[in-house]
Amino acid sequence: MTVAGAKYNPADQWPRDSDGELLLAGEQPLSRVVSAVGGTPCYLYDRAALRERASALRARLPARVHLHYAMKANPMPALVCHMAGLVDGIDVASAGELRVALDSGMSAQHISFAGPGKSEGELGQASAAGILVNIESFREVAILARASENHGRPARVAVRVNLPFELKASGMKMSGGARPFGVDAERVPELLGEITAAGLAFEGFHMFAGSQNLRQAAIVEAQTRSYELSLEWQDLLPAPVRSLNLGGGFGIPYTVGESPLELAPVIDNLAALAERAHTDMPGAHLVIELGRYLVGEAGLYVTRVLDRKLSRGQVFLVVDGGMHHHLAASGNFGQVLRRNYPVAINARTGAREVASVVGPLCTPLDLLADRIDLAAAQVGDLVVVFQSGAYGRSASPRGFLGHPDVVEALV
Ligand SMILES: *Cc1c(COP(=O)(O)O)cnc(C)c1O
């Protein structure tokens, strides 16, 4: 749908009818879907788009590479259930997420748990449920040893490694240098010794270098280096490696002009590593864990224009949702530079204008779009924020200023 030579615009990927009305799953007009869910503001997630994204990737991965969904990107229970049927495993980051993952029907065998500060209660729940715990500190070994005794079977564990390198060009770096995540690579031998002594069921390693990366070469390099690092500990393993989690970091384009990640080199590299694993660690599978890439593009955040203000020559569309529902779109979710998400006015074609989209909160931070080119909007029009399926509702300060919460629907 993109015109050759034109800048890639994520908003153009959604089908529209000739009146500019956006169409969701099964060609349903957006305005009707919004009425069906009870109005704005709302998050809408497109089932078909979610299925297509996960199935297309799954189909290109070798069987030895497992695709996991990192559910912190979008923990809506109905969506997690939908994803459970499309991926090989689910990664959770808290006991609350673990409950949703278990409800989804995903087998405990294929659920894993990572997080820099797991409480004793959470580790006990994980051990009882029989999921894989990615150990991130020496403290967790002792707690899991006690839990194993209580539950009459050894807890399943992998070692999360703080890599000795960074994922280059990443939106969010989570490895290399001093980090609270995982155990420094140089202390892994000592940790493996403690895991052996504690009698835990060792299954492998977990390496997660960073998030939101659009450079395939950087991802390929991090995956290969992670793989090779894991081989250094071959003689110290409490048991053969069954699972080697190489992380993820696959990004999606958020602004007009950013290009989507080129998957082919990443898939080829994973296939080559899977082939090497055949001899290096027989019986093991590789895992990639993705959040944003699987769900980010399948979600819309939809608000309605409450007011249209002209201030000293600048148009402000004041809408009924904002940063309290969608912190990331307002640029306040850890972004270094504020950049506009793709935004469109539903069912308006023709005259265009430069306008800013702001929320109802009494703070200049509540800005959804800063002076962008939009179809000229009127009070009552629907304003759509694209690329909103990941790190939306659950990653926003919904209590801030006491406005109503936002509805979510899987369409
Ligand atoms: C956040 C996180 C993910 C998901 O990251 P995305 O950028 O959404 O793909 C995966 N694994 C771990 C350990 C994480 O902390």
Side-chain angles (χ1 to χ4, degrees), residues 63-66 68 241-245 281 283-287:
R64 236 173 202 287
V65 179
H66 290 194
H68 281 204
V241 170
R242 295 178 52 185
S243 150
L244 178 61
N245 188 326
M281 43 188 103
H285 57 259
L286 307 182
V287 178

Side-chain angles (χ1 to χ4, degrees), residues 120-311:
E120 195 160 339
E122 287 180 312
L123 289 164
Q125 277 177 253
S127 149
I131 65 161
L132 181 67
V133 177
N134 292 310
I135 290 197
E136 309 206 23
S137 91
F138 287 80
R139 160 188 163 269
E140 293 181 4
V141 177
I143 296 172
L144 286 170
R146 281 199 299 279
S148 302
E149 239 169 73
N150 291 342
H151 301 127
R153 63 174 177 195
R156 299 171 52 217
V157 301
V159 171
R160 178 168 182 183
V161 183
N162 175 26
L163 301 166
F165 55 85
E166 291 186 339
L167 177 54
K168 288 174 194 148
S170 233
M172 214 181 270
K173 293 190 172 87
M174 290 178 65
S175 210
R179 301 280 169 187
F181 310 109
V183 171
D184 293 346
E186 47 280 22
R187 292 198 70 191
V188 166
E190 190 186 339
L191 184 62
L192 289 173
E194 294 208 3
I195 288 172
T196 308
L200 302 179
F202 173 85
E203 294 193 6
F205 295 101
H206 176 236
M207 288 127 153
F208 184 79
S211 211
Q212 180 50 17
N213 202 304
L214 288 171
R215 283 189 30 207
Q216 45 284 347
I219 293 175
V220 163
E221 186 192 320
Q223 286 176 339
T224 302
R225 290 183 72 176
S226 298
Y227 178 91
E228 285 171 354
L229 182 65
S230 77
L231 300 179
E232 289 183 15
W233 300 306
Q234 246 165 355
D235 299 333
L236 306 168
L237 303 177
V241 170
R242 295 178 52 185
S243 150
L244 178 61
N245 188 326
L246 297 175
F250 296 22
I252 62 172
Y254 276 108
T255 55
V256 176
E258 262 181 343
S259 301
L261 182 69
E262 219 186 288
L263 269 190
V266 180
I267 303 270
D268 291 349
N269 188 55
L270 285 168
L273 293 177
E275 196 50 43
R276 285 173 67 182
H278 204 57
T279 39
D280 289 339
M281 43 188 103
H285 57 259
L286 307 182
V287 178
I288 53 169
E289 52 178 24
L290 308 179
R292 186 191 316 269
Y293 181 83
L294 292 177
V295 300
E297 303 197 62
L300 304 176
Y301 176 58
V302 189
T303 63
R304 201 179 286 281
V305 179
L306 290 174
D307 204 345
R308 194 191 142 85
K309 292 188 184 174
L310 194 63
S311 169

Side-chain angles (χ1 to χ4, degrees), residues 328-351:
S330 74
N332 295 298
F333 187 58
Q335 292 97 325
V336 181
L337 292 174
R338 193 199 173 285
R339 296 181 303 173
N340 291 314
Y341 270 46
V343 170
I345 310 296
N346 188 51
R348 286 268 177 217
T349 54

Side-chain angles (χ1 to χ4, degrees), residues 66 68 88-91 106-112 130 156 285:
H66 290 194
H68 281 204
D88 306 305
I90 295 181
D91 295 323
M106 177 57 71
S107 125
Q109 184 63 33
H110 301 294
I111 299 176
S112 59
R156 299 171 52 217
H285 57 259

